Amino acid sequence: MGKVGEENAGDARTRLVVALREAGAGDVSALRRVYGLTSAKLFGICLRISGDREAAEDILQDVYVKIWRRAATFDAARASPVSWLATIAHNAAIDWRRAQPRRDTAPEGALGTVADDAPQADEVMVQDEERLRLLACLNGLERQQAEAIRSTFLGGLTYQQLADHLQTPLGTIKSWIRRGMLKLKVCLGDG
Amino acid sequence: MADPHLSPEHESLAAELALGVLEGPDRAEALRLTLSDPAFAAEVEAWRRRLSPLLGTVVAAVPSPRVWNAVEARIGEGGEMLPSARLRSLRLWRGAAFVSGAIAAGLALILVSGPPAPSVVVVPPATSIAVSQLSGADSSATMAVAYDPQKGLLRLGAAALEGSAKSPELWIIPEDGVPRSLGIVRADGDEITVDAGLRRFMSDGATLAITMEDASSAPHKAPSAAPVLAGKFSII
């Protein structure tokens, strides 16, 4: 990416950090700016994991109420603002999936969308080195391990759901993921 | 960083909780550990940070305008307590502690809040009911709590908790790490009498925590989600 793009990403990140800080001080219009900068990305995460547009909108609503309440605790020195927000959305969507076992089946498109997951240039969401490092480490795993980690995390699948989908024994799936996660931790340099 | 306190099983469980692959009893066990074991909770957080950049690869989609309208309605117009209101309610509780100081004699308990902002209210020797607050690991909500060990009476201040369809369920987690439900409580202040059978757990080293749960099926055997508030009991 060129220098101009980097500056844009940096500007967007700065705007987001400022908006979060002001939201944390109780400014609703600042939360509106956070929403404007991030709602499409967070909605994508909720939609991907819930597989249901209406549910995803309910989850997203809860996510921004959580963000409002937690904004004051965000520490820009410890986390990228987008990663922090995306994690809140991911957790909320997973909580929703696990809370309804009957509807908790693999949503359409939860799997086999690896092509969609290719990094995309995105003004706000460019996460620079962190993401490149994680993707490089995933690429260094055995293909099955990397795909199991990717598809469970991004698709909101349980061990059992991935095992069913791949028609592979549960024990094998667990072993791929556990070994993959161990290697990932070492590769990321904090194992 | 490898944590010497975590067994390989728990390290693996922390990674699995962050990844989202757990369900049923395994998920309940992992959520329970996030309440009772700070090293475990820290490892889950570390994994969430490690994996989070991957979320940047998900394709974006535009939500309908009703989402923002609903968010705005929920956080505005008194639906949400502002920090100043929370402080006011804490002060009220401190006042209440002085007033009811004569009730209990001898044993005083104090709740020491967890991270990020330990905030212990120093209680004058004349009062034997201690007051402090429960706080969230990543939330700005707090709750003032006072316990009268003689009557088994637990008083909870108001807290700005998630205003969803879920209700706050209070847990006592003694040193064995197993959460016992004290039942659903009101988020706008409540007073409950702890069941006689559970009072022995209200002791030094125990953790009090609140998770958001389905009220219709409460009390539950185990929490189904991470705590929104937690704090530790210690006898002073």
Side-chain angles (χ1 to χ4, degrees), chain A residues 53 69-70 159 178 185, chain B residues 16 62 80 138 140 162:
Chain A
R53 200 174 168 91
R69 290 177 179 157
R70 297 178 189 177
Y159 273 139
R178 284 180 185 156
K185 191 171 171 180
Chain B
E16 291 165 340
V62 178
E80 180 83 355
D138 54 359
S140 56
E162 307 300 337

Side-chain angles (χ1 to χ4, degrees), chain B residues 35-201:
Chain B
L35 291 173
S36 61
D37 183 346
F40 183 84
E43 181 64 2
V44 173
E45 276 314 301
W47 267 114
R48 289 193 164 133
R49 268 202 302 281
R50 282 176 204 127
L51 292 169
S52 64
L54 202 52
L55 294 168
T57 66
V58 175
V59 178
V62 178
S64 83
R66 81 170 181 98
V67 177
W68 171 256
N69 294 340
V71 171
E72 201 173 26
R74 279 173 61 184
I75 66 176
E77 292 182 18
E80 180 83 355
M81 282 178 94
L82 293 172
S84 58
R86 281 203 298 273
L87 281 177
R88 250 197 321 277
S89 71
L90 178 62
R91 275 199 292 272
L92 271 178
W93 274 98
R94 295 170 71 169
F98 286 104
V99 173
S100 54
I103 297 174
L107 184 65
L109 297 170
I110 191 158
L111 286 165
V112 182
S113 66
S119 168
V120 179
V121 178
V122 179
V123 180
T127 17
S128 43
I129 289 187
V131 179
S132 185
Q133 21 177 358
L134 300 187
S135 66
D138 54 359
S139 134
S140 56
T142 56
M143 180 184 275
V145 179
Y147 181 61
D148 174 348
Q150 292 197 326
K151 296 185 172 176
L153 197 64
L154 196 62
R155 292 183 184 163
L156 310 166
L161 297 173
E162 307 300 337
S164 62
K166 303 281 180 90
S167 308
E169 186 162 0
L170 185 66
W171 305 87
I172 178 75
I173 305 144
E175 279 169 337
D176 65 5
V178 179
R180 275 84 170 179
S181 177
L182 298 172
I184 296 289
V185 297
R186 290 162 52 102
D188 57 352
D190 206 345
E191 186 171 290
I192 61 167
T193 305
V194 177
D195 280 352
L198 294 173
R199 283 183 204 172
R200 63 194 167 96
F201 298 125

Side-chain angles (χ1 to χ4, degrees), chain A residues 18-183:
Chain A
V18 169
L20 267 176
R21 191 166 57 222
E22 290 172 5
D27 180 350
V28 177
S29 71
L31 185 73
R32 181 72 182 87
R33 298 206 305 280
V34 173
Y35 186 89
L37 288 165
T38 58
S39 60
K41 204 72 196 182
L42 301 196
F43 186 56
I45 293 166
C46 298
L47 190 58
R48 174 74 184 275
I49 291 174
S50 69
D52 175 322
R53 200 174 168 91
E54 204 176 322
E57 291 191 344
D58 288 345
I59 298 165
L60 189 67
Q61 193 194 114
D62 285 343
V63 166
Y64 279 95
V65 173
K66 287 191 168 106
I67 291 168
W68 170 248
R69 290 177 179 157
R70 297 178 189 177
T73 68
F74 171 70
D75 180 357
R78 287 189 69 210
S80 123
V82 171
S83 291
W84 187 76
L85 295 166
T87 299
I88 294 175
H90 183 262
N91 290 350
I94 292 286
D95 283 348
W96 180 86
R97 281 279 301 267
R98 301 295 170 259
Q100 27 225 314
R102 267 185 225 161
R103 294 183 63 183
D104 197 359
T105 53
E108 286 294 312
L111 288 150
T113 50
V114 175
D116 291 345
D117 296 329
Q120 298 176 351
D122 174 323
E123 275 184 37
V124 178
M125 302 300 159
V126 168
Q127 286 166 10
D128 43 67
E129 296 146 33
E130 266 187 13
R131 185 158 84 195
L132 292 176
R133 201 153 68 100
L134 179 60
L135 293 174
C137 285
L138 276 170
N139 286 338
L141 301 181
E142 284 167 35
R143 190 184 51 81
Q144 287 165 321
Q145 294 174 355
E147 287 189 3
I149 289 170
R150 219 187 253 269
S151 57
T152 49
F153 185 66
L154 293 176
L157 302 182
T158 62
Y159 273 139
Q160 187 65 56
Q161 287 165 346
L162 185 62
D164 292 347
H165 181 82
L166 298 178
Q167 297 183 315
T168 302
L170 184 59
T172 307
I173 298 287
K174 285 188 179 176
S175 142
W176 286 348
I177 288 184
R178 284 180 185 156
R179 273 192 263 152
M181 295 290 270
L182 277 177
K183 278 192 254 174

